[in-house]
Amino acid sequence: RPSRSRPCRGRAPPPERMSAAMRRLVALAPRRGAPLAAHAAWRPSLAEPTARLARALSTCSAVVRTTAPVVRPMLPTASAQQRRRFAEAKAKKAEDAEAGQGKAEEADKTVEELQEDAAAQTADTSPTGGPPMGEEEPEAEEEQSPKELLESELKEAQEKLMTEKRELLHALAGFENDRKQHLTLREGRQRNALVNFAKEMVEVYDKFDELSHAEDVVANLSDSCKALSEGIVMTRGIFRKTLSDFGLEEVAPEKGAHLAKDRIESVGEVETEEVEPNLVAEVVRPGWIFEPSATHPTVIRKAQVKVARMGSATPPLPP
């Protein structure tokens, strides 16, 4: 009785998952219960596919050895933050394996997602990252310990703090400069407004001064006119005191004073021997100055005077 052999212990894969060569071998393989002669005739037919498979494997190995130095530098390189995340995922995977909680698949999935993210980021920034062909491959960076990671994070935080502090100081300096500039402009506007108001008040005071000297021009005034004149004189005095309280002073140079061109204006000459030439001989109209004790006083109106001149006003007639 011929013996029966079992050439295949496991089940064959479905036909749709087989290659063409595998389907041919399965078609030629003897069925269960076939004689030994059929099995002996089928074995030599395996030699050619086996040799073909070996040649394919050797070719793949050679291709891998040839392209590895070129392809490996082109692989995306992970940053420090990504390496830290890789290390955390790896540590999580080890803990899950030791504890037996069955979370290894989740850690693998996290690592794969991180690798895909790193590859996508590197592809966006530098598609051909890595050294050019012919150069040596840089050594892989060692994984940082938790202490080194904390130190690097602390250094980054300190640098960020110094940058923000520098920006804040620049902003404060700019704010202080703007504040001083606005204060200067405001003070200038206030001073200009006061000077303009003082000019108007000086004109009003001149009116009171002219009315107070009307009794010297007109004689034989009635009692009511004299009372009105006395009231005008009193009002003029109060007005002048008020102007003086707010920093306005009258400029009335004395007879014989030098001619200060910034405060005194010459409007004519007078022939006199009482004072020296080119000195003040007569005051035509007093002037006014605002804040004379300040660093930069403002002249509201220059005093108008006549200066002394020696000799006659007209040359003598020829004989």
Side-chain angles (χ1 to χ4, degrees):
R1 183 180 178 182
S3 62
R4 298 179 180 179
S5 62
R6 296 180 179 179
C8 184
R9 293 181 179 273
R11 292 183 178 180
E16 59 272 8
R17 297 180 58 183
M18 295 182 185
S19 61
M22 183 63 70
R23 285 196 294 270
R24 287 197 300 270
L25 289 176
V26 171
L28 295 174
R31 299 293 183 268
R32 181 178 295 181
L36 292 176
H39 291 285
W42 182 68
R43 286 195 187 94
S45 61
L46 297 176
E48 184 179 356
T50 303
R52 191 181 301 168
L53 180 61
R55 288 195 300 271
L57 290 176
S58 64
T59 304
C60 291
S61 300
V63 171
V64 169
R65 287 194 301 271
T66 305
T67 58
V70 180
V71 175
R72 189 175 300 171
M74 298 174 63
L75 294 176
T77 56
S79 61
Q81 184 178 3
Q82 292 171 349
R83 289 197 300 273
R84 182 169 63 253
R85 295 174 64 184
F86 293 160
E88 293 176 357
K90 188 175 180 181
K92 183 178 179 182
K93 180 178 178 180
E95 292 177 0
D96 293 343
E98 292 177 359
Q101 296 177 0
K103 296 184 178 180
E105 296 181 359
E106 183 179 356
D108 290 339
K109 186 176 179 180
T110 304
V111 172
E112 291 176 359
E113 292 178 355
L114 294 175
Q115 290 177 350
E116 292 177 359
D117 295 342
Q121 293 177 2
T122 310
D124 294 339
T125 55
S126 56
T128 58
M133 297 180 60
E135 296 185 1
E136 296 181 2
E137 179 184 359
E139 298 181 358
E141 298 182 359
E142 298 181 357
E143 295 183 358
Q144 296 181 350
S145 62
K147 182 179 179 181
E148 294 176 351
L149 292 176
L150 291 176
E151 290 178 353
S152 63
E153 291 180 358
L154 178 61
K155 186 177 180 180
E156 293 177 0
Q158 290 177 349
E159 292 178 355
K160 184 178 179 181
L161 177 62
M162 292 299 295
T163 303
E164 294 181 353
K165 184 178 180 180
R166 193 180 301 109
E167 293 177 356
L168 178 60
L169 291 176
H170 289 167
L172 289 176
F175 174 77
E176 187 66 20
N177 293 335
D178 293 340
R179 188 182 68 84
K180 291 180 179 179
Q181 183 178 4
H182 290 309
L183 284 177
T184 304
L185 292 175
R186 188 183 67 178
E187 291 176 357
R189 292 193 185 113
Q190 289 179 351
R191 187 174 182 84
N192 291 335
L194 289 175
V195 169
N196 294 333
F197 182 73
K199 289 180 179 180
E200 298 295 332
M201 293 298 101
V202 167
E203 296 295 334
V204 176
Y205 176 79
D206 289 341
K207 297 296 182 180
F208 280 106
D209 192 30
E210 292 176 2
L211 293 174
S212 64
H213 291 88
E215 61 179 0
D216 299 337
V217 179
V218 181
N220 300 323
L221 293 175
S222 61
D223 295 339
S224 60
C225 290
K226 290 181 180 180
L228 178 60
S229 179
E230 291 177 0
I232 292 174
V233 171
M234 293 175 61
T235 304
R236 184 196 63 172
I238 297 172
F239 201 172
R240 181 169 181 172
K241 183 177 181 302
T242 304
L243 293 178
S244 178
D245 293 340
F246 282 91
L248 272 173
E249 289 188 5
E250 187 179 19
V251 179
E254 297 179 356
K255 192 175 184 179
H258 291 279
L259 192 66
K261 295 184 179 181
D262 57 341
R263 299 186 181 186
I264 302 174
E265 179 183 6
S266 176
V267 295
E269 294 180 350
V270 177
E271 183 179 355
T272 179
E273 296 180 357
E274 296 179 0
V275 295
E276 297 181 0
N278 298 327
L279 296 181
V280 177
E282 181 182 348
V283 177
V284 178
R285 189 181 185 186
W288 290 87
I289 187 170
F290 179 65
E291 294 181 352
S293 59
T295 306
H296 301 286
T298 304
V299 177
I300 303 298
R301 188 180 66 193
K302 292 183 179 182
Q304 297 179 357
V305 299
K306 292 182 179 181
V307 297
R309 179 173 59 85
M310 296 297 293
S312 60
T314 59
L317 298 174

